[in-house]
């Protein structure tokens, strides 16, 4: 797998997580712990993307 395709895949995962966080935050029965975990995972993905893109 090339670096650019790997970055592209990480961006897709980041966007999916972003959508899940938004949906969870709108849900009346949202689990704050789960949302925080998803946000941390998003941050790790973003850091990986930035590291690989440079």
């Amino acid at each position: 797998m090339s670096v650019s395709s790997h970055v592209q895949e990480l961006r897709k995962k980041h966007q999916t997580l972003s959508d899940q966080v938004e949906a969870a935050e709108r849900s009346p029965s949202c689990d704050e712990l789960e949302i925080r975990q998803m946000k941390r995972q998003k941050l790790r993905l973003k850091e990986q993307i930035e590291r690989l893109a440079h």
Side-chain angles (χ1 to χ4, degrees):
M1 178 182 276
S2 72
V3 173
S4 62
S5 63
H6 185 60
V7 168
Q8 191 70 6
E9 191 62 35
L10 291 174
R11 285 188 175 132
K12 287 179 190 176
K13 288 180 183 180
H14 185 270
Q15 184 59 49
T16 300
L17 268 174
S18 186
D19 294 341
Q20 289 174 347
V21 167
E22 286 180 29
E25 288 176 333
R26 284 186 301 234
S27 172
S29 62
C30 69
D31 181 6
E32 290 298 320
L33 178 61
E34 185 178 342
I35 291 172
R36 275 197 309 261
Q37 289 173 338
M38 286 190 290
K39 285 183 176 183
R40 281 190 203 115
Q41 189 175 1
K42 264 182 61 178
L43 181 59
R44 284 192 298 270
L45 285 171
K46 184 178 177 181
E47 289 170 347
Q48 268 187 298
I49 291 166
E50 289 174 358
R51 202 172 28 247
L52 291 172
H54 291 290

